Amino acid sequence: MNCRPATIDDLPALVDIYNHYVEQSHCTFDLTPFTADGRRSWWQEFDGQRRQCWVAEEEDQILGYACSTRLKTKPAYDTSVEVSVYAQVARTGQGIGEALYRALLNALADQDLHRAYALIALPNEASLKLHERFGFQRVAHLHEVGHKFQRYWDVV
């Protein structure tokens, strides 16, 4: 498995991976699947500095991706990012998320960042453990903040 910065050519594969979670999981609070064209504005946020996207690939197949995005749009938040990681559902639990976070967080270490945050919808023990391995600490618990699949979900 190789981790590298994502390119625009990877966008269709990223959208395919993400759409599974949009349609089948509470891990993201997006409700409608995307097209590659519909995800271009998201893609354009990546600047190779504070906001980056990395992919894991094996034999020219994208296995997953990790990214850092704006935490909020107000300028005072610029030195904080939100990080996310997604893997092909058939490849979860195989170290892809860990390899991607290692690559992403190492690349971000040289940037002018103060904090990286992950917003994890509960329950998601695997994601909690992954983030703990990278030193993330639980700093908040938002109760019933997201509504998807006819129920409310907590986020930490």
Side-chain angles (χ1 to χ4, degrees):
M1 175 175 44
N2 176 48
C3 292
R4 60 166 175 79
T7 70
I8 188 68
D9 293 336
D10 300 321
L11 187 57
L14 305 185
V15 170
D16 287 344
I17 290 168
Y18 188 67
N19 279 344
H20 166 80
Y21 294 94
V22 171
E23 296 174 317
Q24 304 294 323
S25 171
H26 69 282
C27 292
T28 176
F29 289 162
D30 278 315
L31 302 175
T32 306
F34 289 90
T35 64
D37 282 341
R39 204 70 165 137
R40 284 191 184 272
S41 63
W42 169 80
W43 174 260
Q44 291 169 347
E45 291 286 322
F46 298 116
D47 60 9
Q49 296 173 28
R50 292 179 182 147
R51 290 175 287 284
Q52 299 187 28
C53 187
W54 285 71
V55 295
E57 66 180 352
E58 188 175 76
E59 299 176 6
D60 296 325
Q61 181 184 20
I62 303 298
L63 306 177
Y65 69 96
C67 59
S68 57
T69 57
R70 289 183 186 275
L71 180 64
K72 294 187 85 50
T73 59
K74 295 175 183 174
Y77 288 103
D78 281 351
T79 58
S80 295
V81 293
E82 180 181 351
V83 294
S84 303
V85 62
Y86 293 93
Q88 285 183 7
V89 69
R91 301 296 300 265
T92 58
Q94 297 178 12
I96 294 166
E98 189 167 342
L100 282 165
Y101 260 0
R102 188 174 299 109
L104 174 65
L105 294 173
N106 284 342
L108 291 174
D110 293 339
Q111 302 305 314
D112 179 25
L113 282 178
H114 184 63
R115 294 273 190 260
Y117 294 92
L119 302 175
I120 302 169
L122 299 178
N124 191 337
E125 195 62 31
S127 186
L128 290 171
K129 287 181 179 179
L130 172 66
H131 288 87
E132 287 170 4
R133 281 196 300 275
F134 282 93
F136 284 76
Q137 299 173 9
R138 198 177 294 206
V139 295
H141 188 132
L142 306 173
H143 295 275
E144 297 184 350
V145 70
H147 189 261
K148 187 173 182 178
F149 304 135
Q150 288 73 51
R151 71 168 272 195
Y152 287 95
W153 301 93
D154 288 4
V155 170
V156 296

